[in-house]
Amino acid sequence: MQMLPVIFPWLLCLSVCDGYRFLGLFVFQGKSHFVMYEQLMKGLARKGHQVDMVSKFPLKKFYPNYTDIVTLPISYKMVNSITYESMQILSSTTIYSITTVSGKDLCKYLGNPAIKELAQPKNPPYDAVLIEAFSAPCFGIIAHLLKVPLIGVSTMPLFPWLRPAIAQPENLAFVPNILISFPGSMNFWQRLHNTVNAFWNKLYFNYLTRRDQDKLIREHFGPDMPGVRELEKKLSLILINSHITLNGIEPTTPAAVDVGGLHVQDEDETLQPELEKWMNDSKDGFVYFTFGSMVLIETFPREFLSVLYASLGKIAPVRVLIKIPNPEKLPPGLPENIHMSPWMPQIKILKHPNVRAFITHGGLMSMQEAIVNGVPLIGIPLFIDQFSNIDRCVARNIALRLDIDTITEKSMDAALNAILWNPLYKETMRNLSQQFLDRPLNAIDTANFWIEYVVKYGENSLRSPAMDLSWWQLYLIDVIGFLVFCFVIVIAIVVFIIRFMLKINRNNSSLSHSKKIN
């Protein structure tokens, strides 16, 4: 007993002394994005690290080593709020919407006293700052002022404007940027489109963010502060929600680490008894249908809803589980085999043995959840990266694609019959699921390892030498120019020598001819 006062502090020290202190700045109002960030930070907390979070989604119950230190108000509701009309506007103004709603509007929080306080030295200090790698690099100013590594987390493959931040190679000859959909090998016109689209999106994004976010940084932290392009280059690492089985193979730098599927955890999900009974009683199986956490299916055109009613009713006795936040806004005539709910524990649903197919808008995280659980897909993409996501799945024979503007009862019937009764899609999805999960470390442990690596060995430990080169050096323009110059000089010398020799030969011929005449 006399040893307890000595042993207990010693054991406590062993449990916390190797832990780091991390600050997570995840202020985007999209709940679907935050799911990944929350699971990442919980993973760090489980490793014994201290996690302090700034977000709009505080935990509902205590989690060891995880503390919500600042909860920001939700200024723009994105859960069950996107109507069909607003979705069309978003689709037509993608870059502008991203840089305002997900960029400038978020950077205004830099003026929040609680956020500004985070930039002051702490005791104990933070070891790294984690932010979303999307459209608000302004929050990198906190890591800059604290003089600690900055780590980015992306919920999707890198947008064109994020690649230069870590010198991620961008070979547009065979790697389509995620804002367009060209699965497989690209022909000349597709490569041209891919190149021009990527260049324009980077140019437009950089202009808008530099114009708006640089101003906000200097307004709140001083005129001598670095701008967003400089802060982006301070990223030591970006954890990317991608994997080669779905997103393909491309050149990469060590600072880009794939952690696709990191968020697929159901520890916080609860399955309502009524819903669990309904799924258990679906002896012929059921189809799960949702357009994600933001989009309201009930606001879609009547023509589209009529197609759904007709086709989904035909597959009975197979049942359909569909997320509808406002069922009273649906037109009458809903088929009897459809069960509705305003919110779904999606991972638990996709894990259920009776689920046979998943009708989705093509959100990357939903697709990864389906892949982990081996559920084939029918994709109806709506905006941003969803078109390329679905097309990648179609190319791998794990999905069928329908388009919102051209869908008919006939095409919907054909897709449902194929996905339900053709064993190809189920078998291919099962094989892809096995490949997706076959890794030396699972996604959360991979993320933990590389975050700790950066903290242990310094913010430049994964930094590419390409970061120190200008664009013309990186693409060897100077080398190519020098070689062309040398080639031209050599050709000029050869031509000069040949002309000189020909001239001598002509002179000798003329002299010989003159002698013969004389």
Side-chain angles (χ1 to χ4, degrees), residues 234-251:
K234 294 182 180 293
L235 282 164
S236 302
L237 166 70
I238 300 182
L239 302 171
I240 308 168
N241 189 28
S242 63
H243 190 264
I244 56 172
T245 54
L246 182 60
N247 303 103
I249 294 172
E250 61 177 282

Side-chain angles (χ1 to χ4, degrees), residues 3-13:
M3 294 295 292
L4 282 178
V6 177
I7 294 175
F8 182 76
W10 181 72
L11 291 174
L12 181 63
C13 182

Side-chain angles (χ1 to χ4, degrees), residues 16 44-52 62-67:
V16 299
L44 290 170
R46 287 194 297 271
K47 287 288 297 289
H49 304 304
Q50 176 61 47
V51 170
D52 290 345
F62 171 77
Y63 201 90
N65 299 331
Y66 184 116
T67 306

Side-chain angles (χ1 to χ4, degrees), residues 51-116:
V51 170
D52 290 345
M53 284 288 282
V54 177
S55 75
K56 299 185 177 185
F57 304 100
L59 296 184
K60 295 179 180 178
K61 58 183 180 181
F62 171 77
Y63 201 90
N65 299 331
Y66 184 116
T67 306
D68 290 295
I69 58 171
V70 179
T71 299
L72 298 170
I74 298 177
S75 54
Y76 183 80
K77 184 182 177 184
M78 297 188 73
V79 175
N80 291 334
S81 63
I82 305 296
T83 65
Y84 180 78
E85 290 75 17
S86 57
M87 181 199 73
Q88 290 183 308
I89 294 172
L90 176 62
S91 298
S92 61
T93 59
T94 299
I95 304 300
Y96 183 79
S97 298
I98 287 174
T99 56
T100 52
V101 175
S102 311
K104 179 179 67 175
D105 292 352
L106 300 182
C107 291
K108 292 177 181 177
Y109 287 119
L110 291 176
N112 186 307
I115 300 293
K116 296 183 78 170

Side-chain angles (χ1 to χ4, degrees), residues 188-230:
F188 170 77
W189 298 110
Q190 290 172 329
R191 284 184 283 115
L192 177 63
H193 183 193
N194 191 35
T195 302
V196 173
N197 181 277
F199 177 79
W200 167 249
N201 285 327
K202 280 190 285 189
L203 193 68
Y204 191 37
F205 178 89
N206 288 343
Y207 165 72
L208 292 175
T209 51
R210 186 182 290 115
R211 181 193 68 181
D212 299 328
Q213 298 187 28
D214 284 6
K215 179 181 177 182
L216 288 166
I217 290 170
R218 287 158 186 162
E219 176 184 333
H220 297 298
F221 291 96
D224 298 327
M225 291 294 105
V228 287
R229 296 291 84 80
E230 295 171 80

